[in-house]
Amino acid sequence: MQDVNNIVNGQKLFLKDDYQASLLAKKEFESAVGATNPEKVVEIAEWTKSWDYREKNLAREAITVNPAKACQPLGAIMAGLGFENTMPYVHGSHGCVAYFRSYFTRHFKEPTPCVSDSMSESAAVFGGLSNMKDGLRNCNAMYKPEMIAVSTTCMAEVIGDDLNAFVIGAREEAEGELDNTAITYAHTPSFVGSHITGYDNMMKSILEQLNPEKSAKVLDEERINIIPGFEPYLGSLAEIKEIAATFSDKIVMIGDHEEQWNTGAGEYKLYAGGTTLANAKTAINAKATISLQGYSTTQTAKTIKNKWSQGFYTCNPIGLGGTDAFVMKLKELTGKEVAESLKTQRAQLVDAMQDSYPYMHGKKFAIYGDPDFLLGLVSFLVEMGAIPSHILCHNAPKKGWEDDMKKILSKSQWASDCQIWPGKDLWHLRSLLFTEPVDFLIGNVYGKELYRDTGIPLIRIGFPIFDRHHLHRYSISGYKGALNLLTWITNAVLDQLDEETKDIAKTDYFFDCVR
């Protein structure tokens, strides 16, 4: 059906007659040749846009439709790749790992190192110890990592495989091959929590298993750790490190995956960048740790505060106020003054916000994504006078998050018009958009179907984004990151304004080139 002398992409390929004939035959087969009533399909489709359907939809509990989250091992892989010369290793089926790798690769447009011990039906019955013994030795021999970060999938968790015992057993039978390789591990069952839970579990395990007991702690009064959390914007990692460097050269990012998914052209390097294991093994000695995503590090925080007796702080440097809080926390912890360069960036951001304020003020937004991402972005929308009408967080924590969001919304003059939807999915959001429409939708690629269905413009901010290139290279954190957010959102508003004012002699009275 393709012509080797004229290769065309999918857009045009599937419009060819032979493909259209195949699609028609498929449609007839799937509908049992007339078993469906087209008029009834249209009727039901319209009903799903009603308030009546909305109430039924919001009441459902037994099923999820189009979830706005991923599963635990995905986050565990990101945490592992934040460390130097580390190979993420998933104890489970090969298919799961193929999914994780493709998910990241489609977002970052870069290869994602990760291996599996390929558990099969026999391992599901008899346990995966044999797979792990062979898998760890093969991983070590083939890829020569300094550390292997082991996580689990549903299969391993359902049958109850014990990672601690398995790793010990694998080391004992490895005939010394694994003696010089750090092996950290975390249980990450996919059927509970989400990708941010997996990130948290793996980060906690890596820090606990690499660092000594508190009795061996050697306090370094100048050192500060920063944990970025599940951060899909590589530019944000670079921005945070740039801000931190203006205060001290002893501020260490723990879990720095920026370079891993931002390699240059040329010879491919399996491992790129990452926090050195020397810094990871001495994280306990720091004066304090700052987490940039509090809800992505809840268990990690317990280790740092309770087991290490170390100062732990949460800052969410998205938007003007969030970045101000982060900068002032660094000022407090280091005793250093804020650099003139940061003051200049702040002034430039405030000036830009003033320029764009009239276009964002009063606009209604529906926004969905991860808990910390939403706290930061909603705060920025409120700063710009926008109305976050629907805030949907499928993986919202049961404690704390909704109250934190209410505090942010209380600063808006439209607080009573803003609704928070914890635990809801994107099919719930569809009902909300049809019954209480907004001006714009903000979220990841999966909002594309909502845009096509409702006609509400989608502004792609979040994770994952598969159908646009290079957005992950930008920052959404810091003063420069806030300027990026301002640019993306304001220009989306202006794009829509152009669309609504381009009809000649009807709406083009405001189709101008000033704005």
Side-chain angles (χ1 to χ4, degrees):
M1 293 182 178
Q2 276 274 28
D3 180 354
V4 294
N5 296 315
N6 183 28
I7 301 295
V8 296
N9 64 19
Q11 177 196 0
K12 296 180 180 179
L13 179 67
F14 295 113
L15 295 178
K16 289 187 172 183
D17 292 341
D18 42 9
Y19 275 100
Q20 288 297 305
S22 295
L23 289 171
L24 180 61
K26 184 173 184 287
K27 184 181 294 186
E28 290 177 350
F29 173 77
E30 290 181 345
S31 65
V33 194
T36 2
N37 182 343
E39 294 180 358
K40 192 66 176 178
V41 170
V42 173
E43 178 189 336
I44 296 298
E46 285 302 309
W47 173 66
T48 63
K49 303 174 185 179
S50 68
W51 276 90
D52 179 48
Y53 180 79
R54 165 178 162 153
E55 296 306 314
K56 291 178 171 60
N57 190 12
L58 292 178
R60 89 180 131 82
E61 298 178 354
I63 190 171
T64 294
V65 183
N66 204 358
K69 63 176 182 178
C71 57
Q72 280 207 49
L74 189 82
I77 291 169
M78 177 180 278
L81 288 174
F83 294 88
E84 181 183 56
N85 299 324
T86 295
M87 177 60 76
Y89 177 113
V90 180
H91 181 51
S93 73
H94 180 74
C96 289
V97 176
Y99 160 67
F100 303 140
R101 287 195 309 218
S102 67
Y103 209 82
F104 279 131
T105 298
R106 290 161 69 200
H107 176 81
F108 292 114
K109 306 297 185 283
E110 296 281 355
T112 299
C114 183
V115 299
S116 162
D117 52 21
S118 299
M119 291 176 66
S120 60
E121 292 87 345
S122 59
V125 176
F126 300 110
L129 177 57
S130 176
N131 293 68
M132 183 163 287
K133 287 178 178 179
D134 293 339
L136 288 175
R137 292 181 74 171
N138 289 339
C139 175
N140 190 60
M142 293 179 67
Y143 304 113
K144 298 176 174 54
E146 285 187 52
M147 181 168 74
I148 301 173
V150 182
S151 56
T152 54
T153 63
C154 299
M155 181 192 298
E157 290 297 327
V158 168
I159 64 177
D161 281 357
D162 184 342
L163 289 185
N164 179 50
F166 281 19
V167 170
I168 292 173
R171 281 193 183 278
E172 289 176 348
E173 292 193 19
E175 300 176 340
E177 292 180 24
L178 299 174
D179 289 355
N180 297 318
T181 305
I183 302 176
T184 53
Y185 52 88
H187 287 276
T188 54
S190 299
F191 43 79
V192 294
S194 70
H195 53 286
I196 66 169
T197 319
Y199 179 94
D200 190 15
N201 286 337
M202 181 56 78
M203 182 61 68
K204 174 182 184 291
S205 295
I206 288 174
L207 293 181
E208 283 188 351
Q209 293 162 23
L210 290 184
N211 280 267
E213 296 296 322
K214 188 169 67 173
S215 58
K217 177 179 176 180
V218 180
L219 181 62
D220 183 344
E221 286 285 358
E222 295 184 6
R223 176 168 169 176
I224 298 168
N225 299 324
I226 294 178
I227 302 177
F230 189 94
E231 179 52 76
Y233 284 90
L234 304 181
S236 289
L237 300 176
E239 176 77 1
I240 292 302
K241 287 184 286 186
E242 182 181 311
I243 292 173
T246 66
F247 286 94
S248 170
D249 59 2
K250 298 199 72 175
I251 300 177
V252 178
M253 182 170 283
I254 302 294
D256 181 3
H257 53 266
E258 179 201 353
E259 292 183 45
Q260 182 62 64
W261 281 301
N262 196 20
T263 56
E267 184 180 355
Y268 173 67
K269 294 181 180 179
L270 186 63
Y271 308 112
T275 303
T276 65
L277 293 192
N279 277 334
K281 291 175 180 178
T282 54
I284 191 174
N285 297 333
K287 172 184 178 181
T289 294
I290 300 173
S291 170
L292 304 185
Q293 294 185 3
Y295 289 103
S296 295
T297 53
T298 54
Q299 298 304 314
T300 305
K302 292 178 181 178
T303 289
I304 294 171
K305 290 188 291 186
N306 302 335
K307 293 186 178 181
W308 293 2
S309 298
Q310 187 181 110
F312 184 88
Y313 307 94
T314 299
C315 295
N316 192 334
I318 298 177
L320 178 64
T323 303
D324 283 349
F326 174 60
V327 168
M328 296 310 291
K329 179 54 67 176
L330 290 178
K331 178 178 183 292
E332 173 193 330
L333 292 174
T334 62
K336 305 285 183 63
E337 290 301 315
V338 178
E340 288 300 318
S341 60
L342 289 180
K343 293 179 181 179
T344 298
Q345 289 176 23
R346 187 185 191 278
Q348 291 168 339
L349 172 61
V350 171
D351 180 72
M353 291 171 71
Q354 291 172 336
D355 294 338
S356 301
Y357 192 90
Y359 294 98
M360 284 181 63
H361 178 84
K363 290 291 187 296
K364 293 183 178 181
F365 290 84
I367 176 172
Y368 60 93
D370 291 335
D372 297 290
F373 164 78
L374 288 174
L375 290 173
L377 204 50
V378 169
S379 177
F380 177 69
L381 291 175
V382 170
E383 288 172 344
M384 290 301 299
I387 309 172
S389 300
H390 299 298
I391 305 160
L392 185 140
C393 186
H394 195 171
N395 52 346
K398 293 181 179 179
K399 294 182 179 180
W401 180 81
E402 195 169 354
D403 290 335
D404 287 346
M405 185 60 76
K406 287 178 180 178
K407 290 178 184 176
I408 293 171
L409 294 176
S410 67
K411 302 173 184 177
S412 169
Q413 68 185 91
W414 292 290
S416 59
D417 298 327
C418 302
Q419 301 178 76
I420 306 171
W421 302 99
K424 301 301 183 184
D425 57 42
L426 295 187
W427 191 252
H428 290 121
L429 183 56
R430 179 181 180 275
S431 285
L432 301 175
L433 295 178
F434 273 120
T435 52
E436 294 181 276
V438 296
D439 298 305
F440 296 93
L441 181 62
I442 298 179
N444 63 27
V445 66
Y446 295 115
K448 192 169 186 173
E449 297 300 331
L450 293 174
Y451 156 63
R452 290 183 172 185
D453 210 2
T454 66
I456 297 172
L458 170 64
I459 304 172
R460 290 166 174 80
I461 307 174
F463 174 85
I465 296 176
F466 299 146
D467 63 338
R468 295 293 184 272
H469 282 216
H470 310 305
L471 293 178
H472 66 275
R473 300 180 188 276
Y474 290 84
S475 173
I476 65 169
S477 298
Y479 298 122
K480 294 179 183 177
L483 186 57
N484 287 332
L485 291 174
L486 181 67
T487 302
W488 297 339
I489 297 173
T490 303
N491 285 338
V493 173
L494 293 175
D495 284 341
Q496 186 62 19
L497 187 55
D498 280 342
E499 283 298 309
E500 294 173 353
T501 57
K502 68 181 183 181
D503 291 340
I504 298 175
K506 292 182 179 179
T507 61
D508 61 340
Y509 54 84
F510 200 55
F511 191 70
D512 61 65
C513 299
V514 180
R515 291 179 187 164

